[in-house]
Amino acid sequence: MSGSCTEILEPLAIELSVKVLLTNRLEVECGLFTGKLQPPQTIGVGKCQAIVNFLEESDALACNCYGYGDHLSDLPLLEAVGHPRVVEGNADLFSIARHRGWPVLGAPMQA
């Protein structure tokens, strides 16, 4: 899942054998990108709704899912999965992760 668009992530997904991409889709008119996102979008609350919809459609359990976020807008997604992971970079999200005991990738290990 990403707030980026399918066109950018699809080559990487193919390389990594990713079966499902939950990404933004760009609007195309007359073969050209307009710069507008097609609904549903996968940013902020939209990212959370996309994972909830995916879980319902696939009969998967949120408690078995991992979510990775690097921005405060990823918080709804991280709260919706059983294994939230924060990628260091955003001080507000880092603080929330530390408070909740979530792993932070890129942060030094605490003794």
Side-chain angles (χ1 to χ4, degrees):
M1 166 161 318
S2 176
S4 190
C5 62
T6 303
E7 294 77 10
I8 292 171
L9 294 176
E10 197 166 49
L12 179 61
I14 291 168
E15 182 69 25
L16 297 174
S17 300
V18 172
K19 293 179 174 52
V20 178
L21 276 178
L22 301 176
T23 62
N24 279 311
R25 293 174 299 126
L26 297 174
E27 179 181 83
V28 178
E29 285 184 6
C30 301
L32 301 173
F33 294 114
T34 66
K36 296 178 184 174
L37 297 179
Q38 293 182 326
Q41 54 82 19
T42 57
I43 301 170
V45 177
K47 193 176 276 190
C48 179
Q49 189 58 54
I51 193 65
V52 167
N53 292 346
F54 172 77
L55 292 170
E56 288 175 359
E57 293 167 8
S58 64
D59 291 326
L61 299 175
C63 62
N64 295 331
C65 293
Y66 287 75
Y68 296 83
D70 64 355
H71 190 268
L72 195 56
S73 66
D74 295 323
L75 186 58
L77 164 70
L78 296 172
E79 293 175 328
V81 298
H83 302 279
R85 303 291 187 261
V86 171
V87 179
E88 187 179 27
N90 181 280
D92 293 329
L93 188 58
F94 177 84
S95 177
I96 291 169
R98 283 294 183 215
H99 178 74
R100 296 184 183 184
W102 295 346
V104 177
L105 306 176
M109 304 259 317
Q110 292 187 2

